[in-house]
Amino acid sequence: MTAPVFIVDQIEGIGPEFVLDGPEGRHAVSVKRLRPGEDVVLTDGRGRWIEGVVKAAEGKDRLVVTELDSLCEEPPAAPRITVVQALPKGDRGELAVETMTEVGVDAIVPWAASRCITQWKGERGVKALGKWRATAREAGKQSRRVRFPEVADAATTRQVAALLGQVDFAAVLHESGEEPLATVQLPTEGEIVLVVGPEGGVSPEELALFEEAGARAFRLGRSVLRTSTAGTAAAALLLGRTGRWS
């Protein structure tokens, strides 16, 4: 699928003609500068999508799309890959969400680790979570996905441990790992969860709790990556090794 993607709130019942307006219409007309005859994809971001052809661009924010025929649905990918991302400093969290979305991660769980410098509290936390979700939405469009990653509410360490105890494969990126993530046997179905610690690293207490839940520590490589890039690099490795990128 190479046509540009645009988000609609309700995709059922669309067609055979539809007017894309508001921010999405403005992006299509004024930014992408789409013209009659060009292909587009409309999606709800939850795996459902429909292809169409531009009939007309009106003003600065109205795109008329026609030839909207059959509604398609992309099934959830397997194995499902979730990244538990410790809260980075500044806007690096949004960078992590953006790049993990682009490579194909299915879900992202913000984690308030003990060594996180950034703390999501009150209104600040609500705003930060909103930014992560908006970033996933925009990155999903940019990478032409039709099933955007879920961004969960911020989790505590015990909530992360509970999640790790429920999945088919759980890994923590940590220097104590004796086996590289690149060689471990991975499931072909079910769910994989990867934990990425903060700038200060996963604490011994957190690591012990995660291992008790069934997770294992793994090394990613020889170099030390930032928390905002480690999840993307590890997810790309997992996506390749599980056949998701085939």
Side-chain angles (χ1 to χ4, degrees):
M1 182 176 59
T2 59
V5 170
F6 298 95
I7 305 170
V8 294
D9 294 330
Q10 186 71 30
I11 199 161
E12 291 88 350
I14 285 182
E17 190 169 290
F18 179 76
V19 175
L20 185 70
D21 54 13
E24 292 294 285
R26 187 175 302 109
H27 185 238
V29 175
S30 300
V31 179
K32 302 294 289 186
R33 298 184 181 277
L34 296 178
R35 296 294 179 260
E38 294 190 73
D39 294 330
V40 296
V41 169
L42 305 181
T43 182
D44 60 3
R46 297 186 293 276
R48 291 171 293 184
W49 57 280
I50 186 169
E51 291 181 309
V53 178
V54 176
K55 179 180 180 180
E58 301 174 347
K60 295 182 179 180
D61 61 357
R62 284 172 58 88
L63 192 77
V64 182
V65 183
T66 190
E67 298 182 33
L68 293 162
D69 296 321
S70 57
L71 180 65
C72 303
E73 183 161 5
E74 179 181 278
R80 175 182 167 91
I81 296 177
T82 296
V83 176
V84 174
Q85 174 66 60
L87 306 179
K89 295 182 294 185
D91 60 0
R92 289 190 174 275
E94 290 151 54
L95 172 64
V97 171
E98 179 180 55
T99 53
M100 286 191 287
T101 299
E102 289 173 0
V103 299
V105 164
D106 301 296
I108 300 167
V109 179
W111 171 36
S114 63
R115 293 178 176 176
C116 283
I117 297 173
T118 298
Q119 297 293 325
W120 286 5
K121 295 181 179 179
E123 189 62 31
R124 179 181 179 182
V126 173
K127 184 177 180 180
L129 180 60
K131 285 184 177 180
W132 279 37
R133 288 174 171 163
T135 298
R137 174 185 170 99
E138 292 307 310
K141 281 177 52 182
Q142 185 278 327
S143 55
R144 300 188 178 180
R145 294 178 59 170
V146 294
R147 187 178 290 278
F148 302 163
E150 303 166 14
V151 179
D153 292 340
T156 64
T157 296
R158 291 204 171 274
Q159 287 171 328
V160 172
L163 172 63
L164 298 177
Q166 299 170 359
V167 300
D168 300 274
F169 178 84
V172 182
L173 295 183
H174 197 268
E175 63 271 16
S176 67
E178 297 181 356
E179 185 178 0
L181 191 63
T183 60
V184 67
Q185 185 174 353
L186 299 170
T188 57
E189 298 291 337
E191 184 167 7
I192 294 173
V193 174
L194 176 73
V195 178
V196 179
E199 286 88 349
V202 179
S203 73
E205 294 79 14
E206 289 166 337
L207 185 60
L209 187 62
F210 294 161
E211 289 179 336
E212 183 180 345
R216 292 168 57 195
F218 292 94
R219 292 179 287 108
L220 184 56
R222 294 184 178 180
S223 58
V224 177
L225 302 181
R226 287 182 180 271
T227 183
S228 54
T229 54
T232 300
L237 173 64
L238 295 174
L239 287 159
R241 293 199 57 224
T242 56
R244 291 270 304 266
W245 274 5
S246 298

